[in-house]
């Protein structure tokens, strides 16, 4: 079985850094390679940055671009790092277009560079789920995987939950 | 499907701390609860410490005790944190005795408290694999899962690898 | 000699945290007590929070309040944690009013909670300089101490420097 | 006034790392340059590694070598990073031989690489004290400076204290 994994980077809290000159958060380079090394990852992965945006500023064109890359990718297993605010929307958009691959979206509530990030934990889980889940589009947050058609971020708690129980 | 997960803690590098009075590494409390909170884990888990030992000092009696706990546990999904040096041996021992549960052993090359640990990454992966792999006993290290009967730690590189390719 | 030290907390980058629900930086509690414990500090210090503000939003009234607290404090040695952007202005304001005490202002370019902070380093230096410098008002940044009347933050580089060389 | 500072590195807990292949602590390279950069240090310093040893294994020859380097150094201000266990002994040895320079010994109770180190704090303080204290040999630990002839490490508490009060 071909286990090679494609990781598409789109930005999000995951990769934000602190600009010490103006006190703003911004994107520079992705921390994915550093995180994979830290995790002593030996599963073959290919990483590609598609964009570096806050997911609240992601447009429909951006989402089409992401879906298109998923379609064209030769790998059958894909991870997408993504801001949490609109992660569920992007997941649904991809699910409409791609059906024969295992695609996992994940992100973080706290930037990796800020020390107490959940990003390392989530990346670890995404890498595991993408190897074992059947074809489909999933959101991996809070230690769980959610079907793209049954997930939302609860804005009050910051936690992901199912739209409908028992599906 | 009952998704509740049991975590058995046995010690290992994962949970080692630095004793600043004598410069030795030692075990105090497990960092599992802190790590699960950091990862914003919402999957129901029950944690129990069985022992706190360096896996080089683990005896056959210790391994029997761990296997017994796996047999008696009502949960069908079990994670065991374990020192890496003899993790493969314990996995084989459990695999001889338990066949109807998904059991994942994981650990760390660097203590969690030492900042650049792979433990958080591995715990994330173990939590994902234990939810999706079929019944069996597995070692989860280096981003991969290995069957208990086909894994060893390469002492030169510190990496886990298959005993036989193509199995 | 009375070595007891007063620390006044006014906010600044030093104490900023990341709000994971809205992605903004904000103030909650000061990290000073945690930092002093981490540094195994045994010098007697008394900590008091005067305000928790970004120094760009600090008003003249705020500065008068800080100066007043310095005047009334029974301790002869005072540290003030402060945002870097207007630290030099506050230092000058205090220097006009207080002459018989050793007062050191310090801060950080990166929040302490973001892992790679210079705050711990600067707090260590402020605690040392305040014990040994003669009465006066000083800014302690970049490993150096500056007289309140001869210091500015270079907005391009983020570094502190003397207004006039050779003074 | 010439403010250039010499830092002599001798090892100690400060610079220990964790060897993930055998679980032992060891010395590789010094973390001083990384720590100075993290602290945004702009005071001119020259760093030189004299040895990399646990201070319990430091010999009389080692101490003579350190004292000799202090004597020959053109800088009038010297910091020595040193293991805490015999720091006071080395300080006394240097004090017998060097009288016209400000020499500060400092170290750490926890390795810098282990995340919660007091080393960054202590290095900050040493850099400040060495700029302001009169000629003499000092131990800088626990936020305080001690005269080389009146200091010991309390083995029970791990804290530094005066041999005789009121000196």
């Amino acid at each position: 079985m071909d286990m090679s994994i494609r990781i598409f980077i789109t930005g999000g809290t995951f990769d934000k850094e602190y600009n010490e000159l103006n006190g703003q958060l911004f994107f520079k380079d992705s921390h994915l390679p550093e995180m994979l090394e830290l995790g002593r990852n030996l599963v073959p992965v290919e990483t590609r940055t598609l964009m570096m945006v806050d997911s609240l500023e992601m447009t429909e064109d951006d989402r089409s671009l992401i879906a298109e890359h998923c379609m064209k990718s030769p790998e059958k297993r894909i991870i997408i790092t993504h801001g949490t605010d609109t992660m569920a929307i992007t997941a649904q958009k991809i699910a409409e277009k791609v059906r024969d691959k295992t695609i996992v979206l994940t992100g973080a509530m706290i930037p990796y560079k800020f020390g107490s990030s959940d990003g390392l934990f989530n990346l670890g889980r995404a890498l595991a789920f993408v190897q074992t889940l059947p074809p489909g589009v999933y959101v991996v947050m809070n230690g769980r995987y959610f079907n793209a058609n049954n997930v939302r971020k609860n804005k009050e708690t910051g936690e992901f939950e199912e739209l409908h129980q028992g599906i």
Side-chain angles (χ1 to χ4, degrees), chain A residues 27-59:
Chain A
F27 295 110
K28 205 166 59 176
D29 300 319
S30 175
H31 304 104
L32 254 292
E34 180 185 340
M35 292 166 79
L36 291 169
E37 192 184 358
L38 182 63
R40 278 125 185 92
N41 182 66
L42 294 179
V43 178
V45 299
E46 288 291 327
T47 303
R48 175 163 179 184
T49 302
L50 299 186
M51 59 197 74
M52 273 297 214
V53 299
D54 188 312
S55 81
L56 287 173
E57 291 164 12
M58 195 176 271
T59 65

PDB file of all heavy atoms in Angstrom, chain A residues 27-59:
ATOM      1  N   PHE A  27       2.367  35.886   9.586  1.00  0.00           N
ATOM      2  CA  PHE A  27       2.898  34.642   9.045  1.00  0.00           C
ATOM      3  C   PHE A  27       4.287  34.873   8.457  1.00  0.00           C
ATOM      4  O   PHE A  27       4.513  35.847   7.742  1.00  0.00           O
ATOM      5  CB  PHE A  27       2.003  34.121   7.907  1.00  0.00           C
ATOM      6  CG  PHE A  27       0.640  33.723   8.349  1.00  0.00           C
ATOM      7  CD1 PHE A  27      -0.474  34.459   7.990  1.00  0.00           C
ATOM      8  CD2 PHE A  27       0.456  32.592   9.129  1.00  0.00           C
ATOM      9  CE1 PHE A  27      -1.746  34.076   8.392  1.00  0.00           C
ATOM     10  CE2 PHE A  27      -0.806  32.196   9.532  1.00  0.00           C
ATOM     11  CZ  PHE A  27      -1.917  32.947   9.161  1.00  0.00           C
ATOM     12  N   LYS A  28       5.217  33.989   8.766  1.00  0.00           N
ATOM     13  CA  LYS A  28       6.502  34.039   8.083  1.00  0.00           C
ATOM     14  C   LYS A  28       6.627  32.690   7.361  1.00  0.00           C
ATOM     15  O   LYS A  28       5.961  32.479   6.356  1.00  0.00           O
ATOM     16  CB  LYS A  28       7.652  34.261   9.074  1.00  0.00           C
ATOM     17  CG  LYS A  28       8.863  34.906   8.435  1.00  0.00           C
ATOM     18  CD  LYS A  28       9.853  35.426   9.495  1.00  0.00           C
ATOM     19  CE  LYS A  28      10.341  34.316  10.404  1.00  0.00           C
ATOM     20  NZ  LYS A  28      11.364  34.802  11.367  1.00  0.00           N
ATOM     21  N   ASP A  29       7.393  31.780   7.902  1.00  0.00           N
ATOM     22  CA  ASP A  29       7.482  30.454   7.290  1.00  0.00           C
ATOM     23  C   ASP A  29       6.664  29.462   8.102  1.00  0.00           C
ATOM     24  O   ASP A  29       6.379  29.677   9.271  1.00  0.00           O
ATOM     25  CB  ASP A  29       8.943  29.991   7.261  1.00  0.00           C
ATOM     26  CG  ASP A  29       9.804  30.934   6.469  1.00  0.00           C
ATOM     27  OD1 ASP A  29       9.345  31.392   5.402  1.00  0.00           O
ATOM     28  OD2 ASP A  29      10.918  31.245   6.924  1.00  0.00           O
ATOM     29  N   SER A  30       6.314  28.375   7.469  1.00  0.00           N
ATOM     30  CA  SER A  30       5.596  27.326   8.186  1.00  0.00           C
ATOM     31  C   SER A  30       6.531  26.599   9.145  1.00  0.00           C
ATOM     32  O   SER A  30       7.719  26.427   8.878  1.00  0.00           O
ATOM     33  CB  SER A  30       5.010  26.323   7.206  1.00  0.00           C
ATOM     34  OG  SER A  30       4.416  25.264   7.926  1.00  0.00           O
ATOM     35  N   HIS A  31       5.975  26.165  10.289  1.00  0.00           N
ATOM     36  CA  HIS A  31       6.757  25.398  11.261  1.00  0.00           C
ATOM     37  C   HIS A  31       6.604  23.901  11.066  1.00  0.00           C
ATOM     38  O   HIS A  31       7.099  23.117  11.854  1.00  0.00           O
ATOM     39  CB  HIS A  31       6.341  25.797  12.673  1.00  0.00           C
ATOM     40  CG  HIS A  31       6.472  27.257  12.923  1.00  0.00           C
ATOM     41  ND1 HIS A  31       5.407  28.105  12.955  1.00  0.00           N
ATOM     42  CD2 HIS A  31       7.572  28.036  13.090  1.00  0.00           C
ATOM     43  CE1 HIS A  31       5.827  29.341  13.156  1.00  0.00           C
ATOM     44  NE2 HIS A  31       7.126  29.329  13.230  1.00  0.00           N
ATOM     45  N   LEU A  32       5.897  23.494  10.009  1.00  0.00           N
ATOM     46  CA  LEU A  32       5.646  22.065   9.786  1.00  0.00           C
ATOM     47  C   LEU A  32       6.927  21.229   9.766  1.00  0.00           C
ATOM     48  O   LEU A  32       7.016  20.224  10.472  1.00  0.00           O
ATOM     49  CB  LEU A  32       4.857  21.858   8.495  1.00  0.00           C
ATOM     50  CG  LEU A  32       3.392  21.497   8.626  1.00  0.00           C
ATOM     51  CD1 LEU A  32       3.211  20.101   9.204  1.00  0.00           C
ATOM     52  CD2 LEU A  32       2.645  22.516   9.450  1.00  0.00           C
ATOM     53  N   PRO A  33       7.926  21.617   8.978  1.00  0.00           N
ATOM     54  CA  PRO A  33       9.138  20.786   8.940  1.00  0.00           C
ATOM     55  C   PRO A  33       9.767  20.601  10.322  1.00  0.00           C
ATOM     56  O   PRO A  33      10.134  19.495  10.708  1.00  0.00           O
ATOM     57  CB  PRO A  33      10.065  21.569   8.000  1.00  0.00           C
ATOM     58  CG  PRO A  33       9.138  22.360   7.132  1.00  0.00           C
ATOM     59  CD  PRO A  33       7.983  22.738   8.018  1.00  0.00           C
ATOM     60  N   GLU A  34       9.839  21.690  11.100  1.00  0.00           N
ATOM     61  CA  GLU A  34      10.390  21.629  12.458  1.00  0.00           C
ATOM     62  C   GLU A  34       9.566  20.692  13.345  1.00  0.00           C
ATOM     63  O   GLU A  34      10.105  19.909  14.125  1.00  0.00           O
ATOM     64  CB  GLU A  34      10.382  23.051  13.013  1.00  0.00           C
ATOM     65  CG  GLU A  34      10.909  23.201  14.415  1.00  0.00           C
ATOM     66  CD  GLU A  34      10.738  24.651  14.904  1.00  0.00           C
ATOM     67  OE1 GLU A  34      10.579  25.566  14.052  1.00  0.00           O
ATOM     68  OE2 GLU A  34      10.720  24.863  16.122  1.00  0.00           O
ATOM     69  N   MET A  35       8.249  20.760  13.197  1.00  0.00           N
ATOM     70  CA  MET A  35       7.374  19.930  14.019  1.00  0.00           C
ATOM     71  C   MET A  35       7.508  18.443  13.653  1.00  0.00           C
ATOM     72  O   MET A  35       7.478  17.576  14.529  1.00  0.00           O
ATOM     73  CB  MET A  35       5.930  20.387  13.849  1.00  0.00           C
ATOM     74  CG  MET A  35       5.675  21.776  14.440  1.00  0.00           C
ATOM     75  SD  MET A  35       4.106  22.484  13.896  1.00  0.00           S
ATOM     76  CE  MET A  35       2.965  21.613  14.970  1.00  0.00           C
ATOM     77  N   LEU A  36       7.634  18.159  12.377  1.00  0.00           N
ATOM     78  CA  LEU A  36       7.778  16.768  11.943  1.00  0.00           C
ATOM     79  C   LEU A  36       9.096  16.186  12.439  1.00  0.00           C
ATOM     80  O   LEU A  36       9.164  15.029  12.857  1.00  0.00           O
ATOM     81  CB  LEU A  36       7.694  16.670  10.413  1.00  0.00           C
ATOM     82  CG  LEU A  36       6.307  16.970   9.832  1.00  0.00           C
ATOM     83  CD1 LEU A  36       6.384  17.124   8.313  1.00  0.00           C
ATOM     84  CD2 LEU A  36       5.311  15.875  10.196  1.00  0.00           C
ATOM     85  N   GLU A  37      10.129  17.029  12.448  1.00  0.00           N
ATOM     86  CA  GLU A  37      11.421  16.571  12.942  1.00  0.00           C
ATOM     87  C   GLU A  37      11.363  16.325  14.443  1.00  0.00           C
ATOM     88  O   GLU A  37      11.847  15.307  14.950  1.00  0.00           O
ATOM     89  CB  GLU A  37      12.493  17.618  12.620  1.00  0.00           C
ATOM     90  CG  GLU A  37      13.906  17.118  12.820  1.00  0.00           C
ATOM     91  CD  GLU A  37      14.933  18.212  12.573  1.00  0.00           C
ATOM     92  OE1 GLU A  37      14.543  19.344  12.209  1.00  0.00           O
ATOM     93  OE2 GLU A  37      16.122  17.935  12.753  1.00  0.00           O
ATOM     94  N   LEU A  38      10.737  17.262  15.152  1.00  0.00           N
ATOM     95  CA  LEU A  38      10.574  17.123  16.598  1.00  0.00           C
ATOM     96  C   LEU A  38       9.834  15.833  16.942  1.00  0.00           C
ATOM     97  O   LEU A  38      10.151  15.150  17.916  1.00  0.00           O
ATOM     98  CB  LEU A  38       9.791  18.336  17.120  1.00  0.00           C
ATOM     99  CG  LEU A  38       9.541  18.419  18.614  1.00  0.00           C
ATOM    100  CD1 LEU A  38      10.850  18.526  19.376  1.00  0.00           C
ATOM    101  CD2 LEU A  38       8.659  19.630  18.932  1.00  0.00           C
ATOM    102  N   GLY A  39       8.846  15.491  16.136  1.00  0.00           N
ATOM    103  CA  GLY A  39       8.073  14.272  16.361  1.00  0.00           C
ATOM    104  C   GLY A  39       8.767  13.020  15.858  1.00  0.00           C
ATOM    105  O   GLY A  39       8.193  11.947  15.891  1.00  0.00           O
ATOM    106  N   ARG A  40      10.026  13.155  15.407  1.00  0.00           N
ATOM    107  CA  ARG A  40      10.801  12.030  14.857  1.00  0.00           C
ATOM    108  C   ARG A  40       9.988  11.266  13.830  1.00  0.00           C
ATOM    109  O   ARG A  40       9.988  10.033  13.791  1.00  0.00           O
ATOM    110  CB  ARG A  40      11.238  11.087  15.974  1.00  0.00           C
ATOM    111  CG  ARG A  40      12.468  11.546  16.700  1.00  0.00           C
ATOM    112  CD  ARG A  40      12.250  11.650  18.185  1.00  0.00           C
ATOM    113  NE  ARG A  40      13.409  12.209  18.874  1.00  0.00           N
ATOM    114  CZ  ARG A  40      13.534  13.520  19.119  1.00  0.00           C
ATOM    115  NH1 ARG A  40      12.614  14.369  18.713  1.00  0.00           N
ATOM    116  NH2 ARG A  40      14.583  13.976  19.762  1.00  0.00           N
ATOM    117  N   ASN A  41       9.274  12.002  12.997  1.00  0.00           N
ATOM    118  CA  ASN A  41       8.411  11.384  12.005  1.00  0.00           C
ATOM    119  C   ASN A  41       9.225  10.674  10.921  1.00  0.00           C
ATOM    120  O   ASN A  41      10.137  11.242  10.348  1.00  0.00           O
ATOM    121  CB  ASN A  41       7.548  12.460  11.338  1.00  0.00           C
ATOM    122  CG  ASN A  41       6.598  11.856  10.347  1.00  0.00           C
ATOM    123  OD1 ASN A  41       5.694  11.120  10.733  1.00  0.00           O
ATOM    124  ND2 ASN A  41       6.812  12.150   9.063  1.00  0.00           N
ATOM    125  N   LEU A  42       8.894   9.423  10.659  1.00  0.00           N
ATOM    126  CA  LEU A  42       9.568   8.675   9.594  1.00  0.00           C
ATOM    127  C   LEU A  42       8.616   8.271   8.474  1.00  0.00           C
ATOM    128  O   LEU A  42       9.014   7.592   7.527  1.00  0.00           O
ATOM    129  CB  LEU A  42      10.260   7.442  10.168  1.00  0.00           C
ATOM    130  CG  LEU A  42      11.427   7.737  11.116  1.00  0.00           C
ATOM    131  CD1 LEU A  42      12.026   6.450  11.640  1.00  0.00           C
ATOM    132  CD2 LEU A  42      12.499   8.562  10.407  1.00  0.00           C
ATOM    133  N   VAL A  43       7.362   8.648   8.589  1.00  0.00           N
ATOM    134  CA  VAL A  43       6.429   8.396   7.491  1.00  0.00           C
ATOM    135  C   VAL A  43       6.752   9.378   6.369  1.00  0.00           C
ATOM    136  O   VAL A  43       6.929  10.567   6.625  1.00  0.00           O
ATOM    137  CB  VAL A  43       4.970   8.616   7.954  1.00  0.00           C
ATOM    138  CG1 VAL A  43       3.998   8.394   6.813  1.00  0.00           C
ATOM    139  CG2 VAL A  43       4.647   7.703   9.128  1.00  0.00           C
ATOM    140  N   PRO A  44       6.862   8.893   5.116  1.00  0.00           N
ATOM    141  CA  PRO A  44       7.200   9.823   4.031  1.00  0.00           C
ATOM    142  C   PRO A  44       6.106  10.861   3.814  1.00  0.00           C
ATOM    143  O   PRO A  44       4.949  10.505   3.587  1.00  0.00           O
ATOM    144  CB  PRO A  44       7.362   8.918   2.802  1.00  0.00           C
ATOM    145  CG  PRO A  44       6.804   7.585   3.187  1.00  0.00           C
ATOM    146  CD  PRO A  44       6.778   7.496   4.669  1.00  0.00           C
ATOM    147  N   VAL A  45       6.459  12.130   3.928  1.00  0.00           N
ATOM    148  CA  VAL A  45       5.505  13.214   3.673  1.00  0.00           C
ATOM    149  C   VAL A  45       6.110  14.215   2.698  1.00  0.00           C
ATOM    150  O   VAL A  45       7.317  14.421   2.678  1.00  0.00           O
ATOM    151  CB  VAL A  45       5.114  13.977   4.964  1.00  0.00           C
ATOM    152  CG1 VAL A  45       4.441  13.056   5.977  1.00  0.00           C
ATOM    153  CG2 VAL A  45       6.326  14.636   5.593  1.00  0.00           C
ATOM    154  N   GLU A  46       5.240  14.792   1.890  1.00  0.00           N
ATOM    155  CA  GLU A  46       5.629  15.877   0.997  1.00  0.00           C
ATOM    156  C   GLU A  46       4.835  17.103   1.405  1.00  0.00           C
ATOM    157  O   GLU A  46       3.606  17.054   1.478  1.00  0.00           O
ATOM    158  CB  GLU A  46       5.296  15.516  -0.461  1.00  0.00           C
ATOM    159  CG  GLU A  46       6.203  14.468  -1.050  1.00  0.00           C
ATOM    160  CD  GLU A  46       7.627  14.978  -1.266  1.00  0.00           C
ATOM    161  OE1 GLU A  46       7.784  16.171  -1.565  1.00  0.00           O
ATOM    162  OE2 GLU A  46       8.566  14.176  -1.098  1.00  0.00           O
ATOM    163  N   THR A  47       5.544  18.197   1.689  1.00  0.00           N
ATOM    164  CA  THR A  47       4.879  19.393   2.184  1.00  0.00           C
ATOM    165  C   THR A  47       4.847  20.469   1.106  1.00  0.00           C
ATOM    166  O   THR A  47       5.828  20.657   0.395  1.00  0.00           O
ATOM    167  CB  THR A  47       5.638  19.934   3.412  1.00  0.00           C
ATOM    168  OG1 THR A  47       5.691  18.902   4.391  1.00  0.00           O
ATOM    169  CG2 THR A  47       4.944  21.142   4.001  1.00  0.00           C
ATOM    170  N   ARG A  48       3.697  21.162   0.978  1.00  0.00           N
ATOM    171  CA  ARG A  48       3.625  22.281   0.040  1.00  0.00           C
ATOM    172  C   ARG A  48       2.744  23.385   0.612  1.00  0.00           C
ATOM    173  O   ARG A  48       1.621  23.132   1.059  1.00  0.00           O
ATOM    174  CB  ARG A  48       3.057  21.807  -1.298  1.00  0.00           C
ATOM    175  CG  ARG A  48       2.865  22.967  -2.241  1.00  0.00           C
ATOM    176  CD  ARG A  48       2.710  22.560  -3.671  1.00  0.00           C
ATOM    177  NE  ARG A  48       2.517  23.720  -4.512  1.00  0.00           N
ATOM    178  CZ  ARG A  48       2.268  23.673  -5.800  1.00  0.00           C
ATOM    179  NH1 ARG A  48       2.204  22.500  -6.413  1.00  0.00           N
ATOM    180  NH2 ARG A  48       2.099  24.777  -6.490  1.00  0.00           N
ATOM    181  N   THR A  49       3.251  24.595   0.596  1.00  0.00           N
ATOM    182  CA  THR A  49       2.477  25.734   1.085  1.00  0.00           C
ATOM    183  C   THR A  49       1.614  26.283  -0.047  1.00  0.00           C
ATOM    184  O   THR A  49       2.135  26.711  -1.074  1.00  0.00           O
ATOM    185  CB  THR A  49       3.422  26.832   1.615  1.00  0.00           C
ATOM    186  OG1 THR A  49       4.224  26.277   2.655  1.00  0.00           O
ATOM    187  CG2 THR A  49       2.627  28.016   2.153  1.00  0.00           C
ATOM    188  N   LEU A  50       0.293  26.269   0.138  1.00  0.00           N
ATOM    189  CA  LEU A  50      -0.629  26.798  -0.886  1.00  0.00           C
ATOM    190  C   LEU A  50      -0.919  28.274  -0.662  1.00  0.00           C
ATOM    191  O   LEU A  50      -1.087  29.048  -1.602  1.00  0.00           O
ATOM    192  CB  LEU A  50      -1.948  26.027  -0.858  1.00  0.00           C
ATOM    193  CG  LEU A  50      -1.862  24.531  -1.149  1.00  0.00           C
ATOM    194  CD1 LEU A  50      -3.275  23.950  -1.222  1.00  0.00           C
ATOM    195  CD2 LEU A  50      -1.120  24.276  -2.458  1.00  0.00           C
ATOM    196  N   MET A  51      -1.009  28.649   0.629  1.00  0.00           N
ATOM    197  CA  MET A  51      -1.227  30.061   0.975  1.00  0.00           C
ATOM    198  C   MET A  51      -0.883  30.196   2.457  1.00  0.00           C
ATOM    199  O   MET A  51      -0.660  29.195   3.145  1.00  0.00           O
ATOM    200  CB  MET A  51      -2.687  30.460   0.717  1.00  0.00           C
ATOM    201  CG  MET A  51      -3.704  29.661   1.487  1.00  0.00           C
ATOM    202  SD  MET A  51      -5.400  29.799   0.825  1.00  0.00           S
ATOM    203  CE  MET A  51      -5.294  28.797  -0.669  1.00  0.00           C
ATOM    204  N   MET A  52      -0.832  31.424   2.930  1.00  0.00           N
ATOM    205  CA  MET A  52      -0.590  31.660   4.355  1.00  0.00           C
ATOM    206  C   MET A  52      -1.601  32.708   4.810  1.00  0.00           C
ATOM    207  O   MET A  52      -1.299  33.903   4.827  1.00  0.00           O
ATOM    208  CB  MET A  52       0.843  32.164   4.567  1.00  0.00           C
ATOM    209  CG  MET A  52       1.877  31.071   4.719  1.00  0.00           C
ATOM    210  SD  MET A  52       1.590  30.038   6.185  1.00  0.00           S
ATOM    211  CE  MET A  52       3.298  29.680   6.629  1.00  0.00           C
ATOM    212  N   VAL A  53      -2.812  32.269   5.132  1.00  0.00           N
ATOM    213  CA  VAL A  53      -3.860  33.227   5.479  1.00  0.00           C
ATOM    214  C   VAL A  53      -4.574  32.842   6.774  1.00  0.00           C
ATOM    215  O   VAL A  53      -4.616  31.676   7.163  1.00  0.00           O
ATOM    216  CB  VAL A  53      -4.922  33.326   4.357  1.00  0.00           C
ATOM    217  CG1 VAL A  53      -4.291  33.802   3.060  1.00  0.00           C
ATOM    218  CG2 VAL A  53      -5.631  32.003   4.155  1.00  0.00           C
ATOM    219  N   ASP A  54      -5.112  33.859   7.402  1.00  0.00           N
ATOM    220  CA  ASP A  54      -6.049  33.691   8.502  1.00  0.00           C
ATOM    221  C   ASP A  54      -7.320  33.124   7.883  1.00  0.00           C
ATOM    222  O   ASP A  54      -7.793  33.631   6.864  1.00  0.00           O
ATOM    223  CB  ASP A  54      -6.311  35.072   9.112  1.00  0.00           C
ATOM    224  CG  ASP A  54      -7.113  35.001  10.392  1.00  0.00           C
ATOM    225  OD1 ASP A  54      -8.156  34.295  10.393  1.00  0.00           O
ATOM    226  OD2 ASP A  54      -6.717  35.619  11.374  1.00  0.00           O
ATOM    227  N   SER A  55      -7.910  32.093   8.463  1.00  0.00           N
ATOM    228  CA  SER A  55      -9.034  31.431   7.780  1.00  0.00           C
ATOM    229  C   SER A  55     -10.284  32.309   7.719  1.00  0.00           C
ATOM    230  O   SER A  55     -11.175  32.063   6.909  1.00  0.00           O
ATOM    231  CB  SER A  55      -9.343  30.065   8.406  1.00  0.00           C
ATOM    232  OG  SER A  55     -10.111  30.193   9.563  1.00  0.00           O
ATOM    233  N   LEU A  56     -10.332  33.370   8.543  1.00  0.00           N
ATOM    234  CA  LEU A  56     -11.454  34.308   8.431  1.00  0.00           C
ATOM    235  C   LEU A  56     -11.357  35.126   7.145  1.00  0.00           C
ATOM    236  O   LEU A  56     -12.329  35.706   6.679  1.00  0.00           O
ATOM    237  CB  LEU A  56     -11.483  35.255   9.639  1.00  0.00           C
ATOM    238  CG  LEU A  56     -11.958  34.617  10.949  1.00  0.00           C
ATOM    239  CD1 LEU A  56     -11.799  35.586  12.111  1.00  0.00           C
ATOM    240  CD2 LEU A  56     -13.412  34.159  10.832  1.00  0.00           C
ATOM    241  N   GLU A  57     -10.164  35.194   6.577  1.00  0.00           N
ATOM    242  CA  GLU A  57      -9.957  35.967   5.350  1.00  0.00           C
ATOM    243  C   GLU A  57      -9.865  35.078   4.113  1.00  0.00           C
ATOM    244  O   GLU A  57      -9.530  35.540   3.021  1.00  0.00           O
ATOM    245  CB  GLU A  57      -8.665  36.798   5.478  1.00  0.00           C
ATOM    246  CG  GLU A  57      -8.792  37.904   6.499  1.00  0.00           C
ATOM    247  CD  GLU A  57      -7.460  38.488   6.919  1.00  0.00           C
ATOM    248  OE1 GLU A  57      -6.454  38.182   6.244  1.00  0.00           O
ATOM    249  OE2 GLU A  57      -7.421  39.232   7.906  1.00  0.00           O
ATOM    250  N   MET A  58     -10.175  33.799   4.281  1.00  0.00           N
ATOM    251  CA  MET A  58     -10.088  32.887   3.152  1.00  0.00           C
ATOM    252  C   MET A  58     -11.304  33.071   2.231  1.00  0.00           C
ATOM    253  O   MET A  58     -12.433  33.122   2.703  1.00  0.00           O
ATOM    254  CB  MET A  58     -10.029  31.448   3.672  1.00  0.00           C
ATOM    255  CG  MET A  58      -9.586  30.445   2.631  1.00  0.00           C
ATOM    256  SD  MET A  58      -9.439  28.786   3.369  1.00  0.00           S
ATOM    257  CE  MET A  58      -7.737  28.796   3.935  1.00  0.00           C
ATOM    258  N   THR A  59     -11.039  33.180   0.929  1.00  0.00           N
ATOM    259  CA  THR A  59     -12.123  33.433  -0.025  1.00  0.00           C
ATOM    260  C   THR A  59     -12.589  32.129  -0.683  1.00  0.00           C
ATOM    261  O   THR A  59     -11.967  31.080  -0.524  1.00  0.00           O
ATOM    262  CB  THR A  59     -11.637  34.375  -1.146  1.00  0.00           C
ATOM    263  OG1 THR A  59     -10.606  33.684  -1.885  1.00  0.00           O
ATOM    264  CG2 THR A  59     -11.067  35.666  -0.584  1.00  0.00           C
TER     265      THR A  59
END
